[in-house]
Amino acid sequence: MNRLKKAAAENRNAAAVQREHGHDGAAEGYETRAEELESGRVVDRTDDVIGLFRAAFRR
């Protein structure tokens, strides 16, 4: 879950930078993605995928 919180914070920072440069449309996209990450609707499967690759390519 830490990856998702970190990604949400990074998206919020990116939205702030975009707003500073006058790109409100791009900022709204970053804000929307941050809200999705914080809502719990997104599931982090990174560890599962890494485990599958390690098992598949184990020698």
Side-chain angles (χ1 to χ4, degrees), residues 37-57:
L37 292 170
E38 292 173 341
S39 72
R41 294 180 299 214
V42 178
V43 179
D44 183 14
R45 296 287 186 199
T46 305
D47 293 332
D48 296 338
V49 172
I50 290 170
L52 288 172
F53 274 99
R54 285 183 179 161
F57 296 107

Side-chain angles (χ1 to χ4, degrees), residues 9-52:
E10 289 173 354
N11 280 328
R12 295 233 186 256
N13 289 337
V17 170
Q18 292 296 324
R19 287 196 197 284
E20 288 175 7
H21 289 94
H23 303 289
D24 290 334
E28 288 178 17
Y30 283 113
E31 287 287 339
T32 301
R33 183 62 179 158
E35 290 171 7
E36 289 174 355
L37 292 170
E38 292 173 341
S39 72
R41 294 180 299 214
V42 178
V43 179
D44 183 14
R45 296 287 186 199
T46 305
D47 293 332
D48 296 338
V49 172
I50 290 170
L52 288 172

